[in-house]
């Protein structure tokens, strides 16, 4: 018996459906990609990037990891950003977190989860930066939700602090970095009203001359 039968069947149906309305779709797309967006999101299976914004293949360059983190020493994520900005020349970088993120929850519950605790430590740092604001909230759910939001905002800053983004701005490249959050309970994306488009929005400590 062939394994993953279900996967192959669904793939055929999906490709046929696209070809029904646009017979040349894959042939054209195979020649080049020209996405306008870089999406940095959580690996959570409930937050599939192209699906939730209704975009076909070719429209978004995507990087995902647990809790949508952008860490200064993560060569994987930084390479994705560099390629997206300098080669694909995307116009927008979107960090998309989500409410109910298991990574965020694991970072605040103080239990041991093994190797992943080293990754989640980065979220603990976000919690520490905003601890007074978070702890002032009444319910656990409110605290959890706020940390999910603040984590996105911190990752937006981390992106803007990279040499990659700052150099792009310096050379006049148009590039906006956005923070969004997705509700797994209702399927709705919310704008966190952070949109950074130039170096003036960066604190002096992180601004390269
Ligand atoms: Co998550």
């Amino acid at each position: 018996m062939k394994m993953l039968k279900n996967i192959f069947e669904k793939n055929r149906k999906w490709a046929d459906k696209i070809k029904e309305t646009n017979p040349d779709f894959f042939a054209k797309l195979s020649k080049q990609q020209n996405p306008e967006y870089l999406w940095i999101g959580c690996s959570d299976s409930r937050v599939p990037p192209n699906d939730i914004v209704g975009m076909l293949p070719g429209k978004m360059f995507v990087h995902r990891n647990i809790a949508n983190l952008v860490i200064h020493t993560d060569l994987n994520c930084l390479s994705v950003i560099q390629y997206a900005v300098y080669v694909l020349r995307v116009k927008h970088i979107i960090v998309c977190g989500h409410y109910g993120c298991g990574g965020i929850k694991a970072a605040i519950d103080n239990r041991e989860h093994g190797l992943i605790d080293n990754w989640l430590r980065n979220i603990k740092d976000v919690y520490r930066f905003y601890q007074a604001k978070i702890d002032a909230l009444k319910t656990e759910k409110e605290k959890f939700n706020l940390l999910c939001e603040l984590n996105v905002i911190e990752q937006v800053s981390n992106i803007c602090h990279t040499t990659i983004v700052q150099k792009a701005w310096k050379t006049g490249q148009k590039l906006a970095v956005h923070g969004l959050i997705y509700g797994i309970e209702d399927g709705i994306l919310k704008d966190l009203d952070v949109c950074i488009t130039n170096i003036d929005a960066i604190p002096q400590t992180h601004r390269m001359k």
Side-chain angles (χ1 to χ4, degrees):
M1 195 187 87
K2 197 174 176 185
M3 290 170 85
L4 306 178
K5 197 167 167 244
N6 180 37
I7 294 267
F8 289 108
E9 278 174 10
K10 281 190 182 302
N11 165 254
R12 280 299 177 97
K13 277 187 193 152
W14 171 80
D16 287 346
K17 203 175 162 201
I18 290 176
K19 282 184 275 190
E20 247 172 51
T21 48
N22 189 348
D24 298 332
F25 182 82
F26 293 107
K28 270 189 199 158
L29 202 57
S30 67
K31 295 195 181 83
Q32 63 155 25
Q33 62 167 331
N34 190 20
E36 218 174 286
Y37 309 93
L38 163 60
W39 175 282
I40 298 176
C42 184
S43 298
D44 194 306
S45 64
R46 297 164 295 180
V47 197
N50 285 63
D51 291 327
I52 64 178
V53 291
M55 281 191 190
L56 285 167
K59 297 288 181 194
M60 264 195 324
F61 201 59
V62 172
H63 178 78
R64 293 170 78 179
N65 60 42
I66 290 174
N68 39 271
L69 300 178
V70 178
I71 308 305
H72 318 304
T73 51
D74 179 1
L75 279 180
N76 183 353
C77 183
L78 294 177
S79 302
V80 169
I81 297 173
Q82 183 180 23
Y83 188 77
V85 172
Y86 294 149
V87 181
L88 300 173
R89 299 186 80 82
V90 296
K91 295 188 178 71
H92 305 274
I93 301 178
I94 296 168
V95 179
C96 183
H98 66 103
Y99 294 117
C101 182
I104 307 280
K105 193 154 191 74
I108 48 179
D109 70 9
N110 279 343
R111 281 185 300 170
E112 202 184 316
H113 307 90
L115 173 75
I116 196 176
D117 287 321
N118 299 288
W119 181 252
L120 301 178
R121 258 294 311 276
N122 295 292
I123 306 167
K124 280 198 183 292
D125 290 341
V126 179
Y127 182 40
R128 186 162 47 87
F129 298 153
Y130 297 98
Q131 192 161 5
K133 200 174 170 187
I134 294 168
D135 288 352
L137 293 172
K138 284 197 187 84
T139 69
E140 289 310 307
K141 186 161 185 181
E142 283 174 317
K143 291 177 190 179
F144 181 24
N145 285 348
L146 180 60
L147 186 55
C148 289
E149 292 176 357
L150 293 170
N151 180 57
V152 171
I153 293 166
E154 278 301 304
Q155 308 318 312
V156 168
S157 297
N158 288 347
I159 292 171
C160 297
H161 297 164
T162 62
T163 51
I164 306 161
V165 169
Q166 294 204 22
K167 270 189 191 160
W169 282 333
K170 210 178 277 180
T171 55
Q173 193 173 332
K174 288 242 177 303
L175 182 65
V177 187
H178 312 262
L180 314 182
I181 192 151
Y182 174 76
I184 47 173
E185 289 176 358
D186 59 9
I188 300 299
L189 264 185
K190 186 172 113 184
D191 192 352
L192 288 172
D193 287 324
V194 275
C195 171
I196 303 188
T197 56
N198 62 70
I199 208 161
D200 299 334
I202 309 284
Q204 283 290 353
T205 47
H206 290 73
R207 233 184 263 182
M208 281 186 310
K209 287 199 176 124

Short mmCIF file of all heavy atoms in Angstrom, two decimals, residues 39 48-56 60 94 180 189:
data_model
loop_
_atom_site.label_atom_id
_atom_site.label_comp_id
_atom_site.label_asym_id
_atom_site.label_seq_id
_atom_site.Cartn_x
_atom_site.Cartn_y
_atom_site.Cartn_z
N TRP A 39 6.53 36.56 4.49
CA TRP A 39 5.69 36.23 5.64
C TRP A 39 6.51 35.46 6.65
O TRP A 39 7.12 34.45 6.32
CB TRP A 39 4.52 35.37 5.16
CG TRP A 39 3.60 34.83 6.20
CD1 TRP A 39 3.82 33.76 7.03
CD2 TRP A 39 2.28 35.31 6.52
NE1 TRP A 39 2.73 33.54 7.83
CE2 TRP A 39 1.77 34.48 7.53
CE3 TRP A 39 1.49 36.35 6.02
CZ2 TRP A 39 0.51 34.65 8.08
CZ3 TRP A 39 0.23 36.52 6.56
CH2 TRP A 39 -0.26 35.69 7.58
N PRO A 48 -2.03 28.45 8.29
CA PRO A 48 -1.38 28.26 6.98
C PRO A 48 -1.37 29.57 6.17
O PRO A 48 -2.43 30.05 5.76
CB PRO A 48 -2.25 27.21 6.30
CG PRO A 48 -3.60 27.38 6.92
CD PRO A 48 -3.40 27.95 8.30
N PRO A 49 -0.19 30.18 5.96
CA PRO A 49 -0.11 31.55 5.43
C PRO A 49 -0.92 31.80 4.15
O PRO A 49 -1.80 32.67 4.14
CB PRO A 49 1.38 31.74 5.17
CG PRO A 49 2.05 30.76 6.04
CD PRO A 49 1.13 29.60 6.19
N ASN A 50 -0.65 31.07 3.07
CA ASN A 50 -1.34 31.38 1.81
C ASN A 50 -2.86 31.22 1.93
O ASN A 50 -3.62 32.00 1.37
CB ASN A 50 -0.83 30.48 0.69
CG ASN A 50 0.54 30.92 0.20
OD1 ASN A 50 1.49 30.89 0.96
ND2 ASN A 50 0.63 31.36 -1.03
N ASP A 51 -3.28 30.21 2.69
CA ASP A 51 -4.72 29.96 2.82
C ASP A 51 -5.43 31.11 3.51
O ASP A 51 -6.48 31.54 3.06
CB ASP A 51 -4.95 28.67 3.63
CG ASP A 51 -4.51 27.44 2.87
OD1 ASP A 51 -4.64 27.46 1.64
OD2 ASP A 51 -4.03 26.49 3.50
N ILE A 52 -4.86 31.61 4.62
CA ILE A 52 -5.62 32.58 5.41
C ILE A 52 -5.69 33.95 4.73
O ILE A 52 -6.53 34.76 5.08
CB ILE A 52 -5.13 32.71 6.88
CG1 ILE A 52 -3.71 33.22 6.96
CG2 ILE A 52 -5.26 31.39 7.61
CD1 ILE A 52 -3.24 33.40 8.40
N VAL A 53 -4.81 34.19 3.76
CA VAL A 53 -4.95 35.46 3.02
C VAL A 53 -5.38 35.22 1.58
O VAL A 53 -5.38 36.15 0.76
CB VAL A 53 -3.64 36.30 3.07
CG1 VAL A 53 -3.40 36.84 4.48
CG2 VAL A 53 -2.44 35.51 2.59
N GLY A 54 -5.77 33.99 1.29
CA GLY A 54 -6.31 33.66 -0.03
C GLY A 54 -5.34 33.94 -1.17
O GLY A 54 -5.74 34.47 -2.21
N MET A 55 -4.07 33.59 -0.99
CA MET A 55 -3.08 33.84 -2.04
C MET A 55 -2.59 32.54 -2.67
O MET A 55 -2.32 31.56 -1.97
CB MET A 55 -1.88 34.60 -1.47
CG MET A 55 -2.16 36.07 -1.31
SD MET A 55 -0.65 36.96 -0.96
CE MET A 55 -1.33 38.56 -0.53
N LEU A 56 -2.45 32.58 -3.98
CA LEU A 56 -1.98 31.42 -4.72
C LEU A 56 -0.45 31.31 -4.60
O LEU A 56 0.21 32.27 -4.19
CB LEU A 56 -2.36 31.57 -6.20
CG LEU A 56 -3.84 31.32 -6.51
CD1 LEU A 56 -4.17 31.80 -7.91
CD2 LEU A 56 -4.18 29.84 -6.36
N MET A 60 3.74 34.86 -2.03
CA MET A 60 4.37 35.13 -0.73
C MET A 60 5.58 34.23 -0.53
O MET A 60 5.52 33.03 -0.77
CB MET A 60 3.37 34.86 0.40
CG MET A 60 2.69 36.09 0.87
SD MET A 60 1.83 35.95 2.43
CE MET A 60 1.16 34.33 2.47
N ILE A 94 5.98 40.74 6.65
CA ILE A 94 4.87 40.61 7.61
C ILE A 94 5.27 39.61 8.68
O ILE A 94 5.59 38.46 8.36
CB ILE A 94 3.60 40.10 6.89
CG1 ILE A 94 3.12 41.12 5.87
CG2 ILE A 94 2.50 39.74 7.90
CD1 ILE A 94 2.05 40.59 4.91
N LEU A 180 1.18 41.61 12.47
CA LEU A 180 -0.24 41.20 12.46
C LEU A 180 -0.43 40.03 13.43
O LEU A 180 0.52 39.34 13.78
CB LEU A 180 -0.66 40.71 11.07
CG LEU A 180 -0.30 41.49 9.82
CD1 LEU A 180 -0.89 40.80 8.60
CD2 LEU A 180 -0.80 42.90 9.90
N LEU A 189 -7.61 38.05 10.74
CA LEU A 189 -6.32 38.71 10.93
C LEU A 189 -6.54 40.10 11.51
O LEU A 189 -7.43 40.82 11.06
CB LEU A 189 -5.64 38.93 9.59
CG LEU A 189 -4.61 37.96 9.05
CD1 LEU A 189 -4.04 38.52 7.76
CD2 LEU A 189 -3.51 37.67 10.05
#
